[in-house]
Structure formats: C-alpha cells, structure tokens
Amino acid sequence: MAPVLTFPIYIGVWTNWSQGKVMGARLTLTRNDAQLLIALVAFYVTLVTSCIWNIACFVFHHVYSTSEPQDAVYHQRQVLLRNSTGMVSSLWNFVQLLFIWKPRAKGLKRRLFPLIGYTGLLAVGSAATAALSSMVAVDSEVLLSGSGCGVQGKSGSPTDEKSIIYPRLSEDLSDAAIYGRRCYSQTTTFNPVDCGPYVKDKLLSNVYTNATCPLASGLCRHESANVLLDTGLIDSHNDLGLNAPIQERFLFRKRLHCAPVTTEGHTAKFNISQDRSYTAYLYGYTKHSNFPYNENCTFYASNDAYHDQFIANGTINQAGYSINVFSTTFQSGNPLTHVLPIPEFIKNDTDVFLLFLSANGLLFTNITTDSWYEATEIASPCGSCQDSLMYRQNEPASLLVCSEQYQICNPNIMGSSGCTPLLSISDLFNQSLSLYNDHSSKVRLKWLSNIIGQSWSAPAAVAFLQARSLTARTSMIGHFQGPLAPNQWQLDVQHWHAITMASLQRAFVHVAAGPSDPKMVPFTRFPKLAEEYALCRNQKIKSHAHVSFSLFGLLFTFLFGGIIIAISLGMENLVAYIQRRFELNPYTQIEWNANGVLQLQRMAREERGLGTWTHGVGPMPTTEDDVLLGLTDKKHPRLQRSNLGVDSNTFLSESTFNDVDLSEALQSGAYLDCRSLSSETIGGRPSCSITDEEL
C-alpha cells in the first residue's frame, strides 16, 4: 500500500488551472468536513427538487383551470395538484384516480396520463439529482501549503555529508526505485492506490527497442538492437503537478539511449603473478585510475573471479554482480567530470556514461545470450552444482554505454524556436533562459532547474544502487543466477529510466513540502522571491484524506436552487400581482386558493353555518367570532359547534328538545346538529336537532 500522506495540505479556495479560472475554482476540505458538505448539498438538492414539483403543480393547476362547470374528476385532480405532499405520493394518487374513475368518467387517459408521466419522470430525475449531487466533489487533487518549501542547495562538512546528507539521498533513491518497480513496471499490473501522491501515477515514455547505435560505427555489438527511451514533452502542469496558467508553464524532455559495446580492440590482458591476471578496458582516461600499465585504462577486472570464488570444499563464496559506472558531462564543450572517454564516445551536447558489469563468480543455470550478461561458457564443476551444467560470464566485465540528453520548451512559442536543442544537463538551463523574456519567467525557470537538479540521473542512480538496480536479481538465488530474458539488459535500462522518472516526480513534491528531516534544514535553500514562493504554494498532489469541490458547481447549485426556492415561495403573489396589474381574469388564482386545504375547510364549515368567515379568496381564511368547532360521530365525523367553556362530555338527547328551550340547551353545552336544517322554524328559530352523539 502507498504510505500515509504527511504532507501539509492547503485548506481553502484555490484555482486548478487545468479547467481554467472559472470552472477550475476549487474548495479543498478534509474528508470529514467534505462528508458533511456532501450531505448538506444532497439535502439542499432534495429541497430544490421538491420546490420544482411545487412549481409544476402550480403550472398544471393553472393550465387546467377553467371557470366552466366540471365533473368530480376535474375537481379531485385540481385538489390533488393544489395540496400535493410530494412527487411519489402524488404519482400514486393520480394512478388511483385513474383506476377508480375508469368505469364512470370519460377522457381519463387524456386528463391524467400527462400528469402521471411527468410526475414519474420528475421523481426519477429528483432521485438521480440527489444521488449525483456528490459530483460537486470533483477529485482528490489538492495543493501543498508550501510552508516548508526548499531545495537542497548547501553542502556540508565531510562528516555531515556522511551522517546526514548521504543517508537521506540514499533513502530518497530507494523510495524512487521501489516506486519505479511498483508503478512503472511493464510486466506487472499496478494498483493506482499503491502508487504515490503524484498527479500522474507514472510519466509515460516512448520505448524503442530496435534503435540505432548511439556511437560511431563498429563500436556497438548491434547496429539496430539497441534501446532508446524518449519521454516526449513533459508538461510541468499536467504531468508534474505544478499548478499554473499556460503562460507560466514549461515543457521538459529527456532521452536515454543505450547500447552494449564490443570490447574487441579495447582490452589488454596483464599478469600480476604467475597465476593471477587482469583484463584492462581501454575506453578513456580517468584520473582516479591506478592502473600502471596503460594510462588510457578506464576499468580493469580479474580474469580469475571464478577460480577465486571456489574454496576447498567446492562451494562458492561471495558471488554476485558489481557495476562500475564512469560518467562525464560537458558544458560548452568542456568535460566537467574526471572521466575523459575515447573520442568515439565524446558528444559535446550529451552526457555519456559507461557501465561495466561483472558477475564475480556467479553461476548461470542456463545459457544466457543477452548482450550484457552473456554467459555461454561452461563453468568448472562444483560440489553444490549436483553434476548439472552451469555457465559463467564470457568476459570478466561487459560494457554498456549510454547517453542522456535534455530539452526545455516554452509552450507559448510555436514551432522549434520555442525549444532548446537536445543538450547535456549542464548546458540545458543556460540556453533555456533565452526562451523567456520577462524577469518573472526567468526566476521561475531557475527555481525549476533547482527542482530538476534534485532528481536522480540514470548514471547516478545506478552508481548508488549498484547491483540493486538490476532486474536480473529477481531470479537470483544465492550464488546462482536463474534464467534471463534475451533482452535482459534492455529491461534493466527501462528500470533505470523508471527510477529517474519517479525521482523527478518525487523531487517536485518533496521540494514543495520541504525537508521532512529537521537535520536537513541547514542544508536547504529556501525561496526568497515572490515567484519562488508562488511555485512552492502551487504544487498539486492527490490526497485520499482530502476532497476538492468544484466551487463553480457549489455556487451554481446554491444560487440556482435559491432561485427555484424563491420562485416556489413567491409565485402565488407574483401571479396575483400580474393579474391585477394587467387586469387579467383572476379565476385561475381564485381556484388555486379555493382548492387549498384551509379554504376547503372554510367552505365545508360555512356550508354547515359554522362561524362567520372572511378572506374567502386568499390563501388563509379567518373567522370573525370566537366560535369553537368540533367533530362528532367517530364512524362518520361531522362538524359541530360549541360555545366557550363547554364541557365536551355534555350531550343532550333529541327527546329533551321539547322540554328544554333551545337557548338553554345551547347554554348548557349541548351540540347543535344542523343536518336537518330547513326553511321551517320553531318559534322563529332554525329547525335544528340537538344530538347526544359522541365526539
């Protein structure tokens, strides 16, 4: 699994320039806070969709409204639209209305199908919208705070370098090697979750396994079976995560070209005793060489490695690979390192490195035809070989030569004039300054060159990792090397390239985050200029502990939803105003109000003569007196009237009506049942009955 993130993350509003200034506006929150915001958005969206339904009911009600007398289906449909409690319940009511009236009413499909279809679609859309509301949480890309940003730019004493700097560099390189094997491997399927926090899990490169020889003719073992890796143009924003508008970006390119080299004509054998000899490889001068026989010697290896590994009991001791790396870089045509290769290897615009591989007595279980590991000679029998054939490396050492070139481009300049030529790393940044005219861009480019300088080149990585950089070690057990692919050396080169790419990704993130080890602070150069600080505060990574929201999506959701809510709350008054203002027929609004629950209640009670009501055309009717109303008959409830202070348990039977004056009965708390109300009167009073039916 990927390590737990410990980088300082910026919490707040920022701009992801991948989507532009408007659509790229982001709000970054911790995952816990993000879950609360997502829940709030989902609730708000549900509220908005309910308001959309209210608006739809209002529109349908007004469209269907007519002052002509209509049947019961019409009035029930209008009442359902006016008093809808929700889309699902209304859908069910419309369906019930369809089936209940089917035998008796005409034109039901025409009158109800549009409502049923629209309500169903809106219900589905509402559910989908609520479910998709979490899409405002767009991704896990966040910004580092940049509070501790800095590059390693100061050297220390020899003691500090050995005890602090080198161990830290070794740890960084080991992490890059692990990442390269886990996330760049072509033979295994990687899980993005197991990769690092970088905006791209890996930087893709073009791999050519049939490339031409990068050296003069006749030096390579093969003229076409060589390997070339070309990153193409790496975008500082899209690939490396350096968040910036297009005018502040840069493009970076790297090429690695390698080939096994023939040793014919470039070796010399010499004896140091009667039974010991060495082979010298004559490919250029190195000032650290202590070879006394030829000053053009680059490296020498023992011819007796296999003999020296065997001891009396027939076992092998300390067998294993070793790699010796000799690199040189040129600046303005002058070598900067201690190695001066032969003229055939020298290219003033290229960093060149030579890698000598020695097996040091390692036994190969199979014939190996790989051009760098070549082992086809049968090794002497040993006690642990169990009479099986073993093979030994054909030469004491085999040579692989590689060249590295780099390029920087300004994406704002079209054509080849916007790029430097392919150059050595030392010449690259001096020439790249000519691509930018303004001071701020030059400052940014210099800081970026410092970041790239924090990454590992292929020769430096191999020199540090030694045999750990070889993919062949995965099939090595003890002092035995298992079967190797015919192109094993190409797999090694691709792995080295993966390490350098992982190191480049790591450099951008870790420079922005700053040194994690306080002991490295004295050797760190911190930003001083505004442009440098801006770069430090704009490094993107992926964090599974944080969530970035689309600020545009949030604002649109809340603003658009607010408009819908406002329309839902104010549409009745707005329509009423328009009808008054332009003297339109107010019947649709009158019917809308009349079908409201409170107006339906008013009409029901007025029909019973219960209370004196006002505001009969508004949304909320009221009574002028303090009349108390109640329901009687649990099986068939009906409205009854009572005076203030009446005991609800007091009832009079109909038989007492003839013996008790009506006014006295009412004063005693009896209920007046006007079901028999007619034009007849008794002593000038309405012909109503007094009932003792329970509430």
Side-chain angles (χ1 to χ4, degrees), residues 138-203:
V138 288
D139 51 42
S140 59
E141 283 192 356
V142 298
L143 284 184
L144 295 178
S145 67
S147 56
C149 177
V151 297
Q152 186 199 335
K154 301 177 183 178
S155 59
S157 65
T159 301
D160 290 336
E161 289 182 348
K162 292 178 181 178
S163 61
I164 300 176
I165 298 178
Y166 288 164
R168 185 61 187 174
L169 293 177
S170 178
E171 180 182 345
D172 290 344
L173 180 58
S174 297
D175 289 344
I178 294 172
Y179 189 92
R181 188 178 297 276
R182 176 191 297 146
C183 301
Y184 278 81
S185 175
Q186 302 294 327
T187 58
T188 58
T189 302
F190 75 93
N191 184 350
V193 177
D194 293 334
C195 295
Y198 315 124
V199 293
K200 289 286 184 69
D201 293 319
K202 61 180 179 179
L203 302 177

Side-chain angles (χ1 to χ4, degrees), residues 298-443:
T298 308
F299 175 71
Y300 58 89
S302 173
N303 295 323
D304 307 295
Y306 282 87
H307 179 274
D308 293 342
Q309 297 301 332
F310 286 96
I311 57 177
N313 60 7
T315 61
I316 296 180
N317 184 36
Q318 297 180 346
Y321 294 110
S322 63
I323 304 177
N324 288 272
V325 182
F326 301 91
S327 60
T328 184
T329 184
F330 293 87
Q331 186 175 41
S332 302
N334 300 313
L336 298 181
T337 49
H338 60 268
V339 177
L340 183 61
I342 58 177
E344 293 87 342
F345 289 175
I346 295 178
K347 293 183 178 181
N348 292 340
D349 60 354
T350 305
D351 295 332
V352 179
F353 57 102
L354 289 66
L355 303 101
F356 292 92
L357 174 68
S358 299
N360 299 318
L362 195 66
L363 293 175
F364 292 75
T365 61
N366 297 71
I367 293 178
T368 302
T369 58
D370 178 85
S371 300
W372 199 35
Y373 289 86
E374 191 173 23
T376 58
E377 296 181 5
I378 298 176
S380 300
C382 64
S384 60
C385 298
Q386 299 179 353
D387 298 327
S388 60
L389 288 178
M390 293 290 167
Y391 302 88
R392 57 178 290 172
Q393 190 178 20
N394 289 6
E395 296 186 65
S398 54
L399 175 60
L400 186 69
V401 175
C402 296
S403 63
E404 279 187 319
Q405 291 182 296
Y406 305 86
Q407 186 179 43
I408 284 181
C409 296
N410 182 347
N412 301 290
I413 301 177
M414 302 300 294
S416 59
S417 60
C419 297
T420 67
L422 285 165
L423 299 168
S424 67
I425 193 67
S426 299
D427 285 332
L428 177 68
F429 297 108
N430 290 331
Q431 294 201 28
S432 62
L433 291 174
S434 62
L435 300 175
Y436 298 88
N437 297 322
D438 60 294
H439 173 72
S440 295
S441 296
K442 293 181 184 293
V443 171

Side-chain angles (χ1 to χ4, degrees), residues 52-261:
I52 293 176
W53 170 243
N54 291 339
I55 295 173
C57 289
F58 184 80
V59 172
F60 274 118
H61 189 282
H62 279 63
V63 169
Y64 288 136
S65 178
T66 176
S67 58
E68 298 295 327
Q70 299 293 326
D71 61 4
V73 174
Y74 167 87
H75 291 287
Q76 288 182 341
R77 182 190 62 188
Q78 294 293 84
V79 169
L80 289 176
L81 286 171
R82 177 61 179 89
N83 302 288
S84 171
T85 57
M87 283 173 279
V88 177
S89 61
S90 294
L91 178 63
W92 178 238
N93 287 333
F94 292 143
V95 172
Q96 284 183 307
L97 196 64
L98 176 66
F99 283 96
I100 290 174
W101 283 98
K102 186 176 181 180
R104 288 169 286 179
K106 298 180 180 180
L108 285 178
K109 293 181 179 180
R110 173 179 54 82
R111 299 159 75 181
L112 294 177
F113 269 21
L115 277 177
I116 293 173
Y118 177 81
T119 307
L121 289 176
L122 191 59
V124 173
S126 174
T129 303
L132 296 175
S133 61
S134 61
M135 292 183 67
V136 293
V138 288
D139 51 42
S140 59
E141 283 192 356
V142 298
L143 284 184
L144 295 178
S145 67
S147 56
C149 177
V151 297
Q152 186 199 335
K154 301 177 183 178
S155 59
S157 65
T159 301
D160 290 336
E161 289 182 348
K162 292 178 181 178
S163 61
I164 300 176
I165 298 178
Y166 288 164
R168 185 61 187 174
L169 293 177
S170 178
E171 180 182 345
D172 290 344
L173 180 58
S174 297
D175 289 344
I178 294 172
Y179 189 92
R181 188 178 297 276
R182 176 191 297 146
C183 301
Y184 278 81
S185 175
Q186 302 294 327
T187 58
T188 58
T189 302
F190 75 93
N191 184 350
V193 177
D194 293 334
C195 295
Y198 315 124
V199 293
K200 289 286 184 69
D201 293 319
K202 61 180 179 179
L203 302 177
L204 300 178
S205 297
N206 298 312
V207 181
Y208 306 95
T209 56
N210 290 307
T212 59
C213 176
L215 307 173
S217 178
L219 288 176
C220 295
R221 289 187 176 225
H222 311 283
E223 289 302 318
S224 61
N226 304 298
V227 66
L228 170 65
L229 295 105
D230 192 332
T231 64
L233 293 176
I234 299 173
D235 191 293
S236 61
H237 173 87
N238 296 321
D239 299 317
L240 298 175
L242 195 56
N243 188 46
I246 185 67
Q247 64 270 19
E248 297 180 10
R249 301 178 191 178
F250 80 102
L251 305 175
F252 176 73
R253 180 186 179 191
K254 178 182 177 181
R255 278 167 51 108
L256 177 62
H257 198 173
C258 296
V261 174

